[in-house]
Amino acid sequence: MKTFVKLLIASVSALVFLVIALACAGGDWSEEEAKKSLFDQSIMLDNPQDQAYQPYFRMITTPFFGNPDTAESNIAVFNDINVHEWADFFNKKITEAEISTLLYSTDLSKIDHLIFYIKDNAYDKIPRELKEYAIAKLDDKAKAKEFLYYLGFAKRCEPIAADDSGAWNYDTEQAKPFTAQRCDELITGGIKSAANVKNAFIRERYAFQICRLYYQKAKVHDQNYQACLQYYNGVKDDFKENKVIRYRSMGYAAAANFRQGKFAEANYLYSLMYDQCPEMKTIAQYSFRPQEESDFARSLALAKNTREKTVLWHLLGIYGDEARAIREIYALDPKSELLNLLLVRYVSTLEETVLPENYQWVYSYATDASPRNTASIGFTADSIHSSELNLIRRIADQSNTQKPYLWDLSCGYLYVLKNDSKTANDYFKKARQKAPDKALLNDQLHMLDMILKINDLTSISKGFEDGFAKDLDWLLNGKKSETLSTDDATFYIRKKLAEKYLAQHNEVKAMLCLNRCVPDFYFNLEKMDRMIDFLKQPAHSDFEKTILGLYPNTVDHLKEAEAILLAYQGKTDAAIAKMKESSGAEKVLMGNPFTIHINDCHDCDHDAPQKRKFTKLSFLEEIKKMEGIVATGKSENDYFLLANAFYNMTYFGNARDFYACEATDIETYGMFLFPLSEDYRHPAGKPYEYIFDNSRAEKYYLLARESATNPETKAKCTFMAAKCEQNAYYINKPADDVSDFKAGNYFAQLKAQFSDTKYYKEILKECGYFRTYVGR
Amino acid sequence: MRNIIIVVVACLMFFAACRREADIQTSFYYWKSAFLIGNDEAALLDSLAINELYVKYFDVKWNRNTSAAEPVAVITFPDSASRHYAMIPVVYITVDALRNTPDNAIPALAGKVLSLIKQINAATGVHMREVQFDCDWTDQTRSAYFHLLQWIRQHLPADTRLSATIRLHQVKYRLRTGVPPVDRGMLMFYNMGELGQLEGPNSIYNAQTAGKYVSFCKNYPLPLDVALPAYSWGIHFREGKGMGILERLRAEELERDTLFEKKSPFLFQAKQSRLLHGDYFIMGDFVKIETISPALCEEAAKMLAPDVKKEDRKVVFFDLDSSTISNYTIENFRQITDRFR
């Protein structure tokens, strides 16, 4: 067991180490999955001190990645802190802007000029603008000089301190950023300066630089981390003036320990940094990596008091076992604020095991009609283990923690997940009594109350609708606490409502709650008519108004969908009538839907000059005109044009935009039928099958051939029928059939009957499939 | 841009296959970030007359703190072992890095990637005859990835081959995912299962899943080298969900520790909650060991060989590591490679 991906930023590579959890082979595991939740961890933040723990909320459900990049390699994060500290050092006599300039954008030669000038105001080589610096005019010249000497030293150390590992440069032995000798020179110089400098604030900063030089030298050159530790141990008690510098030095000592395999010492230092230095908190948490129980036990032994022990447990909790940490900290100090984060993380971890798989994904694609989304969701009594529940309940019942309401709320929520509404409500009642009056808590409880109501529901009555209307409107449209994420709860409630309505055979309301929960809805005229009737009702109840707000379609959209369906059913008159009632009538088709070629090329047809542009309506009207002509007498040309129209309005033709409309939302390009997000063979694609059906086109090509007298035309009609035949093969072939084409009846007929036509030669030239067939 | 798929009439090109025994070369991936070849590995490479390795130089990952794509796990060469082998640099690019890099910044990213490859080549004296990119691109990241590959192709000498790994789903759904603009593909014939399934079959290789994809390989429009699995790992499960991968873990290692109870030859359950080698296991957690034995690797080769065109190719094992080769004999590797002759 060597490394674990979640911890090792150096191993994100995935030729092998990451695999996808989707139904296709050979993909990589996605890097991050959004947290799914009905429980807002922010609930623990009821005073400003709590904010420090927010970065450690559980945020992702796939813990392979997602650790922050270590700030140790990003020293820029300390720039602002340095500027503030120096400004304080000079009692604000030097502005932060000037300090920032001196620290980060003034080169060494200018620092030297300043030093010379301060030593001797007659020094005349100083650039004029430097004379205007407040540092040059400071009364306390000794202080200014010590600062500038230190600054020069720090700037010399900078190339060594800046860890370039994330950059696009390759450090080779020849091109290492610095030599060991250079480190030694600076270390010797630094130690000497630190001994002479009068100001403790500056002395500590020299000490920090020296710690870092030792560490970087060990890392790049000689692995002598012990030298770093030795120096640190000699100066560690002298850090009194600079808080952040003290802990940054400690960070190098911790890392030096870690690199030597002294995990107990390293993790103990990290725990101190986490607890005592907000600026280092995230780095410390990230770096805290106990390896074995024995080294963690030794870290505990290093702890000097209860607080230090509880911090170590707290970090172990975040690292891997919140429950164990909660037990240990509660035993040591029940009032510890360190428990709060662990509790919300623990609850959050538990809910992940209960909320449905792909929950968030399902929400994002709530319009997806595939079976995965039509599966029922809900909670059961055994979804939370009793040992997990008992721990939280025991502490909640004692009511002796820092935030007793947080334990009641959490305990109640676990009962929600166990589908025990009564006990959940009992705990929520307690939480309300104990809680400070906080909007977030009330909103969280309100949301969970709604989930309880939905879970307890056997059937949806008018009375329920009226009672629930206000709640639902609040959830969807009302004012709520900013941090409260309602997405998952909203989806849960919509999904459960839709399920109940479906059980009551009320598809209209089910669709209003969750569009597309009835997969064939937009492929069924009666169903759409029922929706239109509902939408057109003169009055709706408050509840109905709220769910109408969720529904994306209008009467106009539905009429267009109906017109399209009628057109594919061959009911041209009815299709025209419906289309006229919809704004879809005016939608312009990209290509001429009556044209056809040997090779299908939609882009070519769309780009081709078109004397007449057809709209959805005028296309249908033209079809009706031609149908009228062929009904009265045989016309090979009109049969052929009709066949082209019927071909082009399928998936294979240039007028896919005819079947595109808001209600069905079928994608018109690619092999994929969004909103199905599956390929066309997926069973859920059944309602869409008319899009692939070329049989009407084939029939009309044959009718055209029958009425034609010219062998050239006959050959052409036969070839077009062959295209229809091939399409049918392609669409219906089994998934494991990888061949591209299968010669059918019409290729045989072409070869047998039309080989002396000009058209035959053309198709031989242009159609590879046919050439292959003939060549066999 | 409309993506037109000409389903009905496509122009097919037929390659006349000449009948001679294909030239099949064996190689390995080297996937660790410090290039160190132990004595056993050196002896194996020597016996198999392998002097060329696919070496992962670095990963390109998105750094959320700096909002920039950057190299991670850049390879180091602690000793002179690299001088003994010809190396084909491999760069792994995360989908995240592509997704977050704007279109107009792709050439700059490609430039940095190529520059870093060249710097590493220069430092180790590699004369680059091929460079390989590894990325599980999807339809959303296709254009960025292909743009990057095109840029690299344009800036490589004509005689330097550009190759890309091809995952099985990219073979089967090539109309959707596209075919990368490279000279050759490296078919990854592994990672085919659903990793997050405790009860599921071996996710590294299982014949049933392989069977669903293998027939698509023959029609893939790029010449294909073949990568075969020869590794093991453990998958950590909690409450039935995948938590993480325990690299190169073998059953014997878990058998040695009292933390686990062996439930089946490949399934281990934690008896208590505690740390083990830096990982934390909660009582009841499972570790599923997935191993590719020489027999299973040969089975994979046997299944794949008839479904790739007979052509000169490399058969590359993932990956070169002492734990891998301790379970394989030289003869095993020979026999598996021979399946493609």
Side-chain angles (χ1 to χ4, degrees):
Chain A
M1 199 175 316
K2 289 173 182 159
T3 49
F4 196 34
V5 182
K6 73 178 180 185
L7 293 176
L8 202 70
I9 43 170
S11 180
V12 297
S13 49
L15 190 63
V16 57
F17 291 130
L18 312 168
V19 190
I20 206 162
L22 297 178
C24 60
D28 296 351
W29 203 314
S30 63
E31 293 198 10
E32 189 174 300
E33 199 181 311
K35 174 81 183 84
K36 57 188 176 185
S37 186
L38 305 176
F39 176 83
D40 190 336
Q41 296 168 84
S42 312
I43 211 81
M44 65 162 276
L45 308 175
D46 63 17
N47 68 54
Q49 296 92 294
D50 296 327
Q51 299 290 343
Y53 295 100
Q54 191 166 16
Y56 315 105
F57 284 170
R58 190 164 169 84
M59 293 309 287
I60 54 167
T61 55
T62 308
F64 291 83
F65 296 96
N67 280 316
D69 295 280
T70 170
E72 200 184 329
S73 63
N74 186 10
I75 54 176
V77 299
F78 297 108
N79 287 359
D80 288 347
I81 297 168
N82 287 335
V83 169
H84 292 313
E85 287 180 351
W86 283 112
D88 287 345
F89 175 72
F90 288 112
N91 300 321
K92 312 275 184 203
K93 284 179 185 153
I94 302 178
T95 62
E96 292 201 352
E98 180 176 323
I99 288 180
S100 180
T101 308
L102 286 166
L103 258 50
Y104 303 116
S105 47
T106 304
D107 64 33
L108 264 174
S109 66
K110 285 184 178 163
I111 302 292
D112 288 343
H113 283 307
L114 280 166
I115 292 171
F116 291 135
Y117 181 72
I118 290 167
K119 277 183 178 169
D120 174 8
N121 275 358
Y123 176 70
D124 59 0
K125 288 185 192 141
I126 185 167
R128 188 174 301 162
E129 76 274 9
L130 288 184
K131 281 190 192 173
E132 299 307 315
Y133 276 37
I135 189 80
K137 300 174 187 167
L138 203 69
D139 292 339
D140 190 343
K141 290 194 178 193
K143 195 173 185 179
K145 269 192 295 178
E146 285 201 336
F147 164 68
L148 290 168
Y149 276 123
Y150 167 74
L151 191 54
F153 177 70
K155 282 180 188 286
R156 287 179 177 89
C157 295
E158 177 130 5
I160 296 173
D163 186 340
D164 243 355
S165 60
W168 291 97
N169 295 312
Y170 191 60
D171 294 339
T172 59
E173 193 59 42
Q174 302 78 33
K176 277 187 175 162
F178 52 88
T179 61
Q181 194 193 348
R182 177 68 182 146
C183 282
D184 289 337
E185 285 165 15
L186 284 166
I187 288 169
T188 311
I191 289 171
K192 208 167 137 194
S193 301
N196 293 332
V197 79
K198 293 193 177 60
N199 201 297
F201 180 92
I202 295 180
R203 192 180 315 120
E204 289 174 25
R205 288 187 171 255
Y206 274 110
F208 161 70
Q209 295 285 357
I210 294 160
C211 279
R212 185 159 70 178
L213 287 167
Y214 273 119
Y215 181 83
Q216 293 292 89
K217 183 187 167 214
K219 188 176 155 199
V220 176
H221 290 284
D222 59 9
Q223 312 294 308
N224 184 4
Y225 292 105
Q226 195 52 39
C228 174
L229 283 175
Q230 210 170 339
Y231 179 79
Y232 171 78
N233 287 330
V235 296
K236 67 179 180 188
D237 297 328
D238 299 339
F239 289 107
K240 294 194 170 69
E241 302 284 321
N242 301 263
K243 188 173 168 202
V244 177
I245 285 295
R246 175 182 172 198
Y247 288 99
R248 286 177 74 187
S249 307
M250 190 184 282
Y252 283 103
N257 274 311
F258 200 92
R259 288 193 179 249
Q260 292 187 102
K262 296 177 183 168
F263 303 119
E265 291 78 1
N267 291 321
Y268 171 64
L269 293 180
Y270 285 131
S271 75
L272 296 180
M273 289 158 62
Y274 177 84
D275 193 38
Q276 297 168 9
C277 183
E279 293 83 354
M280 300 293 283
K281 206 175 186 73
T282 303
I283 305 164
Q285 187 271 327
Y286 172 75
S287 305
F288 177 87
R289 296 181 213 175
Q291 300 295 299
E292 311 292 343
E293 289 294 321
S294 54
D295 67 65
F296 182 68
R298 278 189 289 116
S299 292
L300 283 172
L302 290 170
K304 293 189 182 67
N305 51 45
T306 302
R307 175 69 190 181
E308 290 186 2
K309 280 193 173 66
T310 54
V311 173
L312 279 161
W313 280 114
H314 172 90
L315 284 167
L316 186 82
I318 300 173
Y319 189 75
D321 193 343
E322 285 92 353
R324 181 178 170 195
I326 288 172
R327 270 193 295 272
E328 296 288 345
I329 297 173
Y330 184 71
L332 287 164
D333 176 13
K335 287 263 182 295
S336 173
E337 99 287 2
L338 295 166
L339 285 168
N340 303 333
L341 173 74
L342 295 171
L343 173 60
V344 297
R345 277 183 63 96
Y346 187 48
V347 171
S348 186
T349 312
L350 292 177
E351 75 171 349
E352 280 164 26
T353 65
V354 179
L355 297 181
E357 198 75 48
N358 289 330
Y359 191 79
Q360 183 74 28
W361 191 90
V362 170
Y363 175 74
S364 319
Y365 292 83
T367 53
D368 188 327
S370 62
R372 148 178 64 221
N373 285 350
T374 45
S376 176
I377 58 175
F379 308 134
T380 59
D382 58 358
S383 52
I384 298 289
H385 300 309
S386 54
S387 62
E388 293 158 345
L389 184 68
N390 290 344
L391 171 66
I392 305 302
R393 196 181 55 197
R394 179 170 65 88
I395 300 177
D397 290 349
Q398 295 284 324
S399 202
N400 61 345
T401 53
Q402 189 205 27
K403 295 182 200 289
Y405 76 88
L406 194 61
W407 296 84
D408 289 328
L409 172 72
S410 302
C411 189
Y413 178 53
L414 294 183
Y415 276 107
V416 172
L417 297 179
K418 274 179 82 70
N419 212 18
D420 179 347
S421 300
K422 191 187 163 302
T423 318
N425 269 320
D426 291 345
Y427 277 97
F428 289 162
K429 202 182 283 174
K430 287 187 203 169
R432 279 204 172 87
Q433 285 162 2
K434 295 175 195 169
D437 184 22
K438 287 279 175 188
L440 174 62
L441 181 85
N442 288 333
D443 289 349
Q444 171 72 71
L445 283 169
H446 190 175
M447 201 165 85
L448 291 174
D449 279 342
M450 289 178 68
I451 286 171
L452 286 179
K453 279 185 195 166
I454 288 282
N455 283 348
D456 289 346
L457 198 57
T458 44
S459 67
I460 302 181
S461 62
K462 175 80 173 60
F464 172 82
E465 286 184 356
D466 291 343
F468 202 61
K470 216 172 144 193
D471 288 331
L472 190 60
D473 185 54
W474 168 79
L475 184 68
L476 296 170
N477 313 310
K479 191 172 176 299
K480 295 173 286 288
S481 309
E482 272 173 32
T483 63
L484 185 75
S485 164
T486 55
D487 287 356
D488 293 316
T490 302
F491 175 68
Y492 182 84
I493 288 164
R494 289 175 62 177
K495 176 86 171 109
K496 292 301 268 188
L497 285 171
E499 279 176 20
K500 310 258 184 216
Y501 280 123
L502 284 178
Q504 290 169 224
H505 307 292
N506 189 340
E507 291 190 340
V508 167
K509 282 194 176 167
M511 287 288 284
L512 291 176
C513 291
L514 197 63
N515 188 25
R516 272 185 248 286
C517 65
V518 180
D520 70 340
F521 198 86
Y522 299 113
F523 305 93
N524 182 312
L525 291 168
E526 280 173 25
K527 291 180 180 184
M528 283 192 278
D529 277 342
R530 280 202 289 276
M531 180 62 88
I532 290 171
D533 290 344
F534 183 85
L535 296 177
K536 280 183 162 173
Q537 273 177 21
H540 294 106
S541 69
D542 285 348
F543 180 81
E544 287 167 352
K545 280 180 196 157
T546 305
I547 56 174
L548 277 167
L550 294 170
Y551 187 63
N553 289 320
T554 61
V555 171
D556 186 63
H557 294 156
L558 291 164
K559 296 260 182 189
E560 185 184 351
E562 289 192 332
I564 291 167
L565 199 58
L566 287 162
Y568 286 93
Q569 289 172 355
K571 297 171 184 160
T572 312
D573 284 330
I576 290 171
K578 281 279 186 220
M579 194 61 95
K580 280 181 173 165
E581 294 177 44
S582 159
S583 61
E586 304 305 318
K587 289 180 182 163
V588 179
L589 302 180
M590 283 190 275
N592 178 350
F594 294 98
T595 192
I596 199 82
H597 306 283
I598 291 173
N599 287 321
D600 289 332
C601 173
H602 302 170
D603 281 346
C604 316
D605 286 353
H606 297 168
D607 290 345
Q610 294 161 52
K611 270 188 232 153
R612 179 178 171 191
K613 290 293 276 186
F614 287 92
T615 63
K616 285 191 177 186
L617 179 62
S618 65
F619 174 51
L620 287 173
E621 287 172 337
E622 193 70 13
I623 288 177
K624 180 177 156 56
K625 203 168 101 189
M626 290 174 182
E627 282 176 340
I629 296 171
V630 298
T632 53
K634 288 186 177 176
S635 158
E636 63 176 68
N637 190 42
D638 288 295
Y639 274 132
F640 189 73
L641 290 176
L642 272 175
N644 291 347
F646 296 146
Y647 186 91
N648 280 325
M649 65 197 263
T650 68
Y651 170 80
F652 303 97
N654 69 19
R656 288 180 187 175
D657 40 357
F658 180 75
Y659 61 66
C661 70
E662 283 82 357
T664 57
D665 200 25
I666 304 174
E667 202 178 43
T668 54
Y669 58 89
M671 294 291 285
F672 296 87
L673 279 177
F674 284 107
L676 276 176
S677 66
E678 299 285 355
D679 83 13
Y680 56 86
R681 291 189 188 87
H682 194 281
K686 186 85 178 144
Y688 299 73
E689 64 190 2
Y690 65 78
I691 291 163
F692 299 103
D693 184 3
N694 273 160
S695 60
R696 200 151 55 120
E698 184 180 342
K699 179 180 151 197
Y700 274 76
Y701 281 127
L702 294 182
L703 286 169
R705 183 173 77 173
E706 213 174 274
S707 33
T709 46
N710 181 345
E712 292 294 335
T713 310
K714 279 181 183 292
K716 191 173 181 180
C717 294
T718 309
F719 180 74
M720 295 305 160
K723 280 168 64 169
C724 298
E725 189 181 36
Q726 158 67 15
N727 291 343
Y729 155 74
Y730 190 86
I731 284 303
N732 297 316
K733 71 178 184 173
D736 57 356
D737 178 351
V738 292
S739 55
D740 287 327
F741 86 104
K742 191 175 143 192
N745 294 331
Y746 301 116
F747 271 13
Q749 289 172 16
L750 280 165
K751 195 175 167 187
Q753 299 168 29
F754 301 103
S755 60
D756 51 354
T757 61
K758 269 195 231 160
Y759 193 76
Y760 186 88
K761 290 188 179 64
E762 265 180 58
I763 50 178
L764 208 51
K765 200 166 109 193
E766 286 191 39
C767 176
Y769 287 161
F770 189 61
R771 204 161 49 242
T772 306
Y773 165 73
V774 171
R776 273 178 195 161
Chain B
M1 195 181 73
R2 289 174 64 83
N3 176 13
I4 294 303
I5 294 151
I6 301 170
V7 177
V8 184
V9 189
C11 290
L12 287 183
M13 295 178 69
F14 290 95
F15 298 97
C18 46
R19 301 278 171 210
R20 66 169 172 81
E21 187 167 90
D23 178 16
I24 306 295
Q25 289 177 17
T26 313
S27 185
F28 279 88
Y29 276 102
Y30 191 88
W31 212 250
K32 290 175 283 189
S33 58
F35 191 87
L36 288 165
I37 301 285
N39 290 340
D40 292 349
E41 286 123 305
L44 173 82
L45 296 175
D46 204 33
S47 308
L48 292 168
I50 295 172
N51 63 0
E52 190 176 58
L53 295 172
Y54 286 81
V55 179
K56 194 199 68 176
Y57 272 19
F58 54 91
D59 306 317
V60 179
K61 193 192 166 196
W62 186 253
N63 181 334
R64 267 171 288 172
N65 290 346
T66 58
S67 287
E70 62 182 34
V72 172
V74 182
I75 194 162
T76 56
F77 298 92
D79 61 22
S80 62
S82 59
R83 305 273 168 187
H84 306 301
Y85 303 97
M87 290 194 278
I88 298 172
V90 184
V91 175
Y92 174 70
I93 301 185
T94 64
V95 173
D96 234 20
L98 290 174
R99 199 168 32 224
N100 289 304
T101 303
D103 284 350
N104 58 11
I106 291 286
L109 175 62
K112 287 182 198 165
V113 168
L114 187 57
S115 158
L116 183 54
I117 295 169
K118 285 179 175 171
Q119 289 176 55
I120 300 172
N121 288 343
T124 47
V126 169
H127 171 67
M128 189 165 71
R129 286 181 296 185
E130 177 178 344
V131 57
Q132 188 169 93
F133 284 81
D134 178 29
C135 175
D136 184 16
W137 83 90
T138 58
D139 37 355
Q140 286 100 35
T141 42
R142 168 170 78 171
S143 90
Y145 183 49
F146 288 9
H147 187 182
L148 180 134
L149 291 172
Q150 273 157 356
W151 193 98
I152 299 273
R153 176 64 278 172
Q154 284 161 10
H155 292 79
L156 280 179
D159 61 351
T160 305
R161 182 186 275 173
L162 177 63
S163 62
T165 52
I166 312 286
R167 285 155 179 77
L168 282 175
H169 71 95
Q170 290 155 347
V171 173
K172 180 164 176 180
Y173 298 107
R174 70 181 158 91
L175 292 175
R176 180 181 180 185
T177 56
V179 177
V182 293
D183 307 317
R184 283 187 83 80
M186 173 68 76
L187 178 68
M188 289 167 58
F189 202 57
Y190 48 86
N191 284 4
M192 47 186 63
E194 294 188 32
L195 185 66
Q197 294 205 329
L198 185 63
E199 306 292 338
N202 189 325
S203 69
I204 300 174
Y205 172 82
N206 71 78
Q208 203 190 353
T209 312
K212 291 182 191 160
Y213 288 84
V214 71
S215 59
F216 292 88
C217 300
K218 200 168 244 168
N219 285 335
Y220 200 73
L222 287 175
L224 288 175
D225 293 315
V226 167
L228 295 173
Y231 60 93
S232 286
W233 64 19
I235 307 171
H236 181 179
F237 285 91
R238 181 168 302 158
E239 299 284 342
K241 287 185 183 171
M243 298 284 293
I245 293 166
L246 308 158
E247 292 174 14
R248 299 200 172 88
L249 182 67
R250 308 193 78 91
E252 306 85 76
E253 290 178 57
L254 294 186
E255 282 163 4
R256 280 199 292 269
D257 199 285
T258 54
L259 176 56
F260 290 100
E261 183 184 344
K262 190 171 180 176
K263 292 284 189 182
S264 82
F266 57 88
L267 220 50
F268 294 79
Q269 190 167 28
K271 289 187 282 188
Q272 57 197 116
S273 300
R274 69 161 160 94
L275 287 157
L276 181 67
H277 307 339
D279 297 321
Y280 200 97
F281 295 90
I282 300 262
M283 189 169 75
D285 283 2
F286 277 97
V287 174
K288 179 184 179 187
I289 299 288
E290 297 190 335
T291 303
I292 299 294
S293 64
L296 196 55
C297 185
E298 185 161 3
E299 187 190 312
K302 194 175 153 191
M303 171 171 273
L304 178 61
D307 274 294
V308 289
K309 294 182 192 116
K310 279 265 178 253
E311 60 190 357
D312 296 350
R313 69 161 43 87
K314 290 181 202 157
V315 173
V316 189
F317 293 94
F318 195 99
D319 61 340
L320 187 62
D321 175 76
S322 57
S323 72
T324 301
I325 62 171
S326 64
N327 290 278
Y328 282 70
T329 63
I330 292 159
E331 204 42 46
N332 288 146
F333 288 119
R334 280 207 186 107
Q335 276 173 7
I336 295 165
T337 310
D338 279 348
R339 290 280 177 183
F340 291 90
R341 285 187 210 280

